[in-house]
Amino acid sequence: PERVYLAINKYDWLTNNPIQDVEFKVTVEENGTSRDINSVLTNAQGNAVVQIDTFKEEAQGRSVIYTIHEVAAPDSYRKTQDLKIEVLYDAKGGISSWQVLSNESNLNYTVYRRGNTSIQKIENVYAHMKVSIPNDNTYDLIVKDEDINYKGLGVQGIRAFV
C-alpha cells in the first residue's frame, strides 16, 4: 500500500525565518483506539515529514483522526494548540474528504487526495497533508493585581489584569 505522509513547516511569523528543532508528535485515532507515531523534529528549513498511515484498499469508508501536537517549543516561543484533522478514505484507499475538528487558529493546512497533481514534494517525499505553523516569538504573560512592580518586565501600559 501507498504511504501517507504529513509535512509540518514551522516558521517565525514576524520574520518568516524557519524554526529548527521543534518537536511534534502525531496521534492516530481509529475504531476507538489511539496510537502515537514517533516524534519528529523540524530541520534547518523548519520542515518535518513523518509517515502517519498507509492507504488500505480493503478498508472502505475508513475514518481516521490525526492529532498534531507540538511537544516542545523553543525558548521565547509559545506552543501551538493541537490540530485535529479527520480524514475519510474511499473504497480504493484514497482520501475522499477531510475536516478540521479543532480550533484551527492561524494554521495553514492542505490535504491532498491521492492522484492530485498539485501535491508537493517536501524533503524528498510527497506529503498528502501539509501544515504550516507560524509563531510570533512571544511569551504568554499574565500580570496579577499583586504584581505591582512590573516596570522591569517591559509591559508598561497594559490594561489587562487577572
Side-chain angles (χ1 to χ4, degrees):
E2 186 179 346
R3 295 178 177 141
V4 180
Y5 287 96
L6 166 70
I8 300 169
N9 176 255
K10 181 77 172 180
Y11 64 95
D12 187 297
W13 181 69
L14 298 174
T15 65
N16 275 337
N17 291 332
I19 304 175
Q20 184 175 1
D21 295 329
V22 181
E23 183 180 2
F24 289 93
K25 179 179 76 173
V26 179
T27 303
V28 178
E29 298 173 49
E30 183 176 15
N31 297 326
T33 61
S34 176
R35 65 181 168 86
D36 289 339
I37 303 230
N38 293 338
S39 295
V40 62
L41 289 174
T42 56
N43 62 18
Q45 292 77 39
N47 293 328
V49 178
V50 61
Q51 179 184 339
I52 58 172
D53 218 323
T54 55
F55 288 125
K56 297 177 175 82
E57 295 187 8
E58 71 281 356
Q60 184 172 352
R62 188 170 165 238
S63 172
V64 182
I65 297 172
Y66 302 99
T67 302
I68 302 158
H69 172 73
E70 186 172 333
V71 176
D75 291 343
S76 82
Y77 286 93
R78 290 184 285 193
K79 283 183 14 178
T80 307
Q81 293 178 349
D82 289 356
L83 175 66
K84 283 190 170 208
I85 300 175
E86 180 180 26
V87 175
L88 299 174
Y89 291 92
D90 62 25
K92 294 182 180 178
I95 296 172
S96 63
S97 66
W98 56 275
Q99 66 176 336
V100 175
L101 301 177
S102 61
N103 177 5
E104 53 209 75
S105 183
N106 60 345
L107 307 178
N108 298 315
Y109 49 86
T110 307
V111 178
Y112 298 98
R113 292 184 173 98
R114 185 164 63 174
N116 186 325
T117 57
S118 62
I119 191 169
Q120 295 178 346
K121 198 171 196 179
I122 300 171
E123 303 300 322
N124 296 320
V125 297
Y126 288 102
H128 299 89
M129 292 182 224
K130 181 183 174 199
V131 179
S132 295
I133 305 174
N135 208 309
D136 58 7
N137 195 20
T138 57
Y139 282 112
D140 287 328
L141 181 63
I142 298 173
V143 178
K144 298 180 182 176
D145 287 335
E146 62 267 17
D147 293 336
I148 56 174
N149 186 14
Y150 61 87
K151 286 188 177 184
L153 295 175
V155 293
Q156 294 89 342
I158 65 167
R159 305 186 98 157
F161 289 96
V162 178

